[in-house]
Amino acid sequence: MSLSVDLSVQVGPSRLKNPVVAASGTFGFGREAQAFMDLKRLGGISAKAVTVEPRLGNLPPRTAETASGLLNSVGLQNPGLQHYLAHELPFMQSAGFFIVQNIAGDTVEDYVQLAEALDQTAVQVIELNLSCPNVKHGLSFGAKPPLIREVTAAVRKVTTKPLWVKLTPNVTSIAEAAQAAREGGADAVSLINTLLGLAIDWRSRRPILHNNTGGLSGPAVKPVALRMVNEVYRTVDLPIVGMGGIMTAEDVLEFMLAGASCVQVGTANLLHPQAMPQIIRDLERLCQEQGIARLSQLVGQLQLW
Amino acid sequence: MTQVNQSQLRPDGAGLNQATGSGPLKATSGQLEYAAEVVSCHQLNAGTYWLQIYCPAVALSCQPGQFVNLSCSQFLRRPFGVAQVDRAAGIIAIGIQLKGQGSADLAASRPGRALSVLGPLGQGFTLPQPGTEQLSSGSGQPPLLLAAGGGSGLFPLLFALHEARLQGCRTAAVLGFRSRDRVVLADSFRAVCSDGLTLATDDGSLGVRGTVATALAQLELLPGEPEGQNVARAGQAVTVIACGPKPMLAAAASWSRSRQYPCQVSLEERMACGFGLCRTCACQITREGRTEMLRVCYEGPVFNAEEVFPE
Ligand SMILES: Cc1cc2nc3c(=O)[nH]c(=O)nc-3n(C[C@H](O)[C@H](O)[C@H](O)COP(=O)(O)OP(=O)(O)OC[C@H]3O[C@@H](n4cnc5c(N)ncnc54)[C@H](O)[C@@H]3O)c2cc1C
Ligand SMILES: Cc1cc2nc3c(=O)[nH]c(=O)nc-3n(C[C@H](O)[C@H](O)[C@H](O)COP(=O)(O)O)c2cc1C
Ligand code: FES
């Protein structure tokens, strides 16, 4: 008889049936994917970022291929909070998956307003996307620890929902950024968001992206993500939602060993519609083969030299 | 090894008379990704290839104007409009114009190569329905489908014309090329055009000298046609479909608008997923006076011309 494996994981106050969550912006609100997968099989879905007002996003081209990755500059296109509450959230609730709602804003007040609006809803986790430029400072919210602390604390005041603070890797010290999120009252940190990059069409002497720069994702960023996850795991006492270039179940194990309590899968969904169901099946098989009864036992088990 | 009859689908128009079936067929399952196999790949001219893929599920459900997203040597898949379908044999065909490494890799495919196919993707063309439009126009004439294409945009038009022909429409096409030696698939198109194929070349080495726009403007004065006679017979309903470079689409749209023909255009945009998840393929669409960013891969690639080129 094969070993029964427990894939469930604990992330701060939240229990997920398995560690595989769709990464924000690569899975919409789950509507498109329900045509080809059972959404309830997933650990959860971090839905597309919602802003207070609707956003049309950037002009195309919005993507450029890179070695083992891609740049995107979607520009937070979304239907806005009101439409989200009236149409997207009810759909997600009826679909019955674990809902992580990614939110983004130009000001601290935007984040507070969004969190207040989500506080009494079926959303299970609020994820603060801090990669957006702050109107007041011009920098992204995630760029400076004091800003991270300020926005996290402000949101913490208005909601009792678990807060995942999603950090940008475009910083000098990811550990300081995570520490600031912890001080602000985060329940976990999600890392990493995309790395800022530039792709050039030398013939036209123009950037390929209309926005000039964009965020790099995919296997190209995985080593950077693993290093950051492990650095935060070793220095900050806060659960970690790890991501960046995860394509396979083996990648998930690596992230968990580095210290991630659960993971998010982004770019892989864009290449293989069945990426996440496949990863979940493979995780179970790998655990059986390796005699791992509880997957969560692996978290942080990396032995440094 | 999959059993496929290689003779059943050829770019020279053979296959039109075979029982390839017609009419909308629903996708058989919620599946999107298929393990497929290259049947054949051959060169049409210096930069153009014709790739046949054994993929019965996509062949069965694919509609004209839809596309597939194919795995290749590169990180991302590459989107290609379906150019021909043989439902009985389970084969789809695409035309490939060489651009960079992805198209070159696919064009170098040998028979038996395994490919991962996502499809059928997007919303295709809405073809005229002979019965209803004949009645409503009162002309007794079957409706005319006029296809305008250039560049890599001409391939999906072949499938659309073929399907419209099977459904009893009359069909015509205007295709643009750079020069005579660039012309591809002319015989295939001729075989599915009941009402004529007009070729245009930039240098005038074959057909009309100029672009698709030039050829469209001259369409009603073609040699052999009485002066001033329109492409359509009196009272005949005309639907225009266009696929190719943006300026060509704009020309087809404005030509259609001035004649009050409904026109659909098929757009291209750089895409990551091809099936609606990432919103990287956005295009500006005007609906009910409002600008929206819609997905070329999901709400498109085919849109009504006036939504893409509002007045
Ligand atoms: C819906 C749709 C249908 C298409 N149908 C056909 C067809 O039937 N026949 C054909 O020859 N070509 C077609 N194309 C264009 C074809 O996808 C590109 O020429 C091809 O992806 C180029 O890849 P490459 O690696 O050779 O070129 P590269 O320039 O190396 O490509 C680099 C990146 O740019 C993207 N890219 C480059 N050009 C285009 C383009 N015009 N449109 C979208 N993405 C692009 C590629 O996908 C890739 O991500 C279609 C495109 C779309 C969006
Ligand atoms: C097309 C695209 C859109 C994204 N949109 C968002 C977003 O709205 N909010 C967010 O926090 N992260 C967004 N991301 C970042 C991903 O959630 C993830 O952090 C990143 O892509 C790294 O993971 P991956 O390599 O598995 O894709 C986006 C990524 C991509 C590729
Ligand atoms: S390419 Fe991903 S949504 Fe269109």
Side-chain angles (χ1 to χ4, degrees), chain A residues 63-66 208, chain B residues 47-49 65-69 72-74 76-83 93-106 121 151-156 243 266-272 281 296-297 300-302:
Chain A
T63 187
E65 187 181 52
T66 70
I208 291 175
Chain B
T48 317
Y49 290 76
Q66 290 190 300
F67 66 100
V68 289
N69 213 1
C72 65
S73 58
Q74 306 304 104
L76 292 176
R77 293 167 185 269
R78 295 293 187 264
F80 292 91
V82 174
I94 61 166
I96 301 176
Q97 274 202 350
L98 295 186
K99 286 280 157 63
Q101 297 194 320
S103 50
D105 171 62
L106 286 166
L121 302 174
S152 61
L154 59 95
F155 305 114
C243 188
S266 181
L267 301 183
E268 285 187 8
E269 192 47 74
R270 283 179 185 258
M271 38 182 70
C281 61
V296 168
C297 77
V302 176

Side-chain angles (χ1 to χ4, degrees), chain B residues 207-220:
Chain B
V208 176
R209 176 192 298 273
T211 62
V212 168
T214 325
L216 280 173
Q218 293 177 11
L219 203 53
E220 43 215 341

Side-chain angles (χ1 to χ4, degrees), chain B residues 109-130:
Chain B
S109 294
R110 298 282 179 87
R113 176 183 181 175
L115 285 181
S116 158
V117 176
L118 296 187
L121 302 174
Q123 308 297 321
F125 296 111
T126 306
L127 301 180
Q129 297 297 317

Side-chain angles (χ1 to χ4, degrees), chain A residues 71-293:
Chain A
L71 292 174
N72 91 83
S73 58
V74 172
L76 298 176
Q77 179 178 358
N78 81 92
L81 179 60
Q82 289 320 313
H83 185 277
Y84 166 82
L85 290 173
H87 300 282
E88 307 300 348
L89 184 55
F91 160 74
M92 293 197 288
Q93 200 174 346
S94 69
F97 53 79
F98 185 92
I99 307 171
V100 179
Q101 187 55 54
N102 190 273
I103 62 174
D106 298 327
T107 62
V108 173
E109 293 71 36
D110 284 352
Y111 285 95
V112 168
Q113 185 181 341
L114 288 158
E116 270 178 332
L118 297 182
D119 184 54
Q120 296 299 315
T121 65
V123 164
Q124 275 134 310
V125 167
I126 298 176
E127 182 172 60
L128 306 187
N129 173 0
L130 298 189
S131 291
C132 336
N134 172 321
V135 167
K136 215 160 82 196
H137 309 257
L139 290 166
S140 86
F141 277 94
K144 289 265 185 289
L147 277 175
I148 299 173
R149 197 178 303 115
E150 181 191 348
V151 68
T152 308
V155 169
R156 178 77 289 168
K157 282 207 193 78
V158 299
T159 181
T160 53
K161 299 269 185 207
L163 284 186
W164 295 358
V165 174
K166 186 161 174 181
L167 301 176
T168 164
N170 305 308
V171 293
T172 336
S173 167
I174 197 72
E176 280 178 27
Q179 181 59 32
R182 181 174 183 274
E183 288 163 12
D187 293 288
V189 279
S190 304
L191 45 120
I192 58 175
N193 210 316
T194 52
L195 281 150
L196 202 56
L198 171 67
I200 293 173
D201 177 353
W202 66 269
R203 285 177 209 277
S204 66
R205 304 188 178 189
R206 290 262 197 195
I208 291 175
L209 300 179
H210 197 275
N211 188 54
N212 296 320
T213 59
L216 181 64
S217 64
V221 309
K222 194 184 108 179
V224 178
L226 280 173
R227 189 269 294 169
M228 289 189 167
V229 165
N230 191 240
E231 188 174 326
V232 171
Y233 181 77
R234 286 185 292 109
T235 53
V236 184
D237 180 20
L238 199 60
I240 298 166
V241 178
M243 76 196 81
I246 293 176
M247 305 294 286
T248 64
E250 286 84 349
D251 293 335
V252 175
L253 297 183
E254 291 174 23
F255 269 85
M256 295 185 77
L257 288 169
S261 298
C262 78
V263 299
Q264 291 185 10
V265 175
T267 301
N269 299 319
L270 310 181
L271 303 180
H272 308 291
Q274 297 298 326
M276 291 191 294
Q278 183 69 47
I279 287 173
I280 294 166
R281 276 196 301 274
D282 289 348
L283 272 177
E284 185 156 19
R285 179 181 51 78
L286 280 174
C287 287
Q288 276 167 353
E289 285 171 12
Q290 301 291 319
I292 300 165

Side-chain angles (χ1 to χ4, degrees), chain B residues 45-59:
Chain B
N45 70 17
T48 317
Y49 290 76
W50 185 258
L51 177 67
Q52 296 190 57
I53 304 166
Y54 180 71
C55 189
V58 173

